[in-house]
Amino acid sequence: MKLFGSPTSPYVRKARVLIEEKALPVEFVIEDPWAENSPIIEKNPLSKVPALEIAPNDYIFESVLIVHFLDHVDGRSFTPRDPVGYWEAQRWQALGNGIIDAAIQRIFETRRPPEHQLRDKMAREEGRIHRAIALAENTFKGGEFLVGTRFSLADLIMGVALQYVDFRYPHDWRATSPKLKAWHAGIAARPAFVKTQPPDFTPPQ
Ligand SMILES: N[C@@H](CCC(=O)N[C@@H](CS)C(=O)NCC(=O)O)C(=O)O
């Protein structure tokens, strides 16, 4: 299998972390979705990364679907099996995916020419991120993992989301989130996270 994407995209990184965690035989191929006539269009008509080649010239896209596919591809799922844990993990993933979407919307806004930047949109996206982090801190009981006693997709998606916030919207969310801070330090130190960090990114301590 081949995963096509950019080294800075958090959507792509979710799949890359999962591939590393499971040591799956998937080659990472860098392709730029923004380039004129990007080759990504042949794999995904929506022209977005990630795209995963699951058979010759057969691609799936949308990071949630790709993560779901990779999670089940080898019978070693990172989804909790008990009903309570299953739904807890789904809720954490929804929160993490929402943080990623908001951080992406915000960074796109900052890249527009200053006279075209919508300040109220940026503030709205920042509000989403702050409230999501506050909910996470208030919900989390503390400990090594968000759900149960083993690493799950909840840790993976929330871990990628908060590191993307550190990368593209750096601010001291740790000051008011001691449980999340301690948990995230453990998650970010996992080899799969260290290996897939965006280029030129130094994680805060
Ligand atoms: N919902 C999609 C979003 C993917 C996405 O927006 N990827 C960005 C890179 S971070 C992209 O390829 N953007 C290119 C474009 O919008 O033209 C997913 O989860 O896979």
Side-chain angles (χ1 to χ4, degrees):
M1 281 190 287
K2 287 182 184 170
L3 179 76
F4 295 85
S6 81
T8 52
S9 165
Y11 301 107
V12 176
R13 188 164 183 227
K14 292 188 288 178
R16 292 177 66 207
V17 171
L18 189 49
I19 288 164
E20 292 297 330
E21 287 283 351
K22 295 180 149 205
L24 293 172
V26 181
E27 183 188 349
F28 178 46
V29 182
I30 294 179
E31 274 186 11
D32 178 3
W34 299 101
E36 187 118 347
N37 299 320
S38 169
I40 277 293
I41 294 171
E42 297 154 18
K43 302 161 184 94
N44 176 1
L46 304 173
S47 183
K48 292 185 182 188
V49 292
L52 181 71
E53 187 185 51
I54 55 172
N57 286 316
D58 189 8
Y59 302 95
I60 59 172
F61 40 85
E62 279 297 320
S63 59
V64 172
L65 176 60
I66 290 174
V67 166
H68 188 62
F69 178 91
L70 293 172
D71 189 39
H72 289 88
V73 76
D74 62 351
R76 295 179 299 142
S77 169
F78 282 119
T79 299
R81 286 180 202 280
D82 65 291
V84 173
Y86 176 89
W87 288 112
E88 273 185 31
Q90 297 299 326
R91 291 175 71 173
W92 281 113
Q93 288 174 73
L95 194 66
N97 282 321
I99 291 172
I100 289 173
D101 288 342
I104 284 277
Q105 289 299 316
R106 181 190 170 278
I107 194 73
F108 285 172
E109 205 54 44
T110 66
R111 288 178 181 161
R112 288 148 62 89
E115 65 274 21
H116 293 306
Q117 286 179 12
L118 299 175
R119 298 277 159 199
D120 57 342
K121 174 159 174 60
M122 280 168 61
R124 205 169 158 75
E125 302 305 340
E126 289 169 10
R128 289 189 226 280
I129 295 168
H130 299 160
R131 289 190 301 271
I133 291 175
L135 175 70
E137 177 68 14
N138 291 337
T139 310
F140 184 32
K141 295 187 189 73
E144 201 177 345
F145 303 113
L146 292 175
V147 180
T149 54
R150 57 182 284 252
F151 180 80
S152 76
L153 288 187
D155 302 296
L156 191 156
I157 304 299
M158 281 296 291
V160 168
L162 290 182
Q163 210 156 46
Y164 191 69
V165 170
D166 285 337
F167 179 45
R168 291 302 197 207
Y169 175 37
H171 67 282
D172 194 7
W173 56 266
R174 288 170 177 78
T176 50
S177 313
K179 286 175 286 173
L180 274 190
K181 174 184 173 178
W183 158 82
H184 194 263
I187 296 301
R190 293 173 75 87
F193 275 79
V194 174
K195 194 169 171 187
T196 59
Q197 267 172 23
D200 303 324
F201 169 66
T202 308
Q205 298 306 312

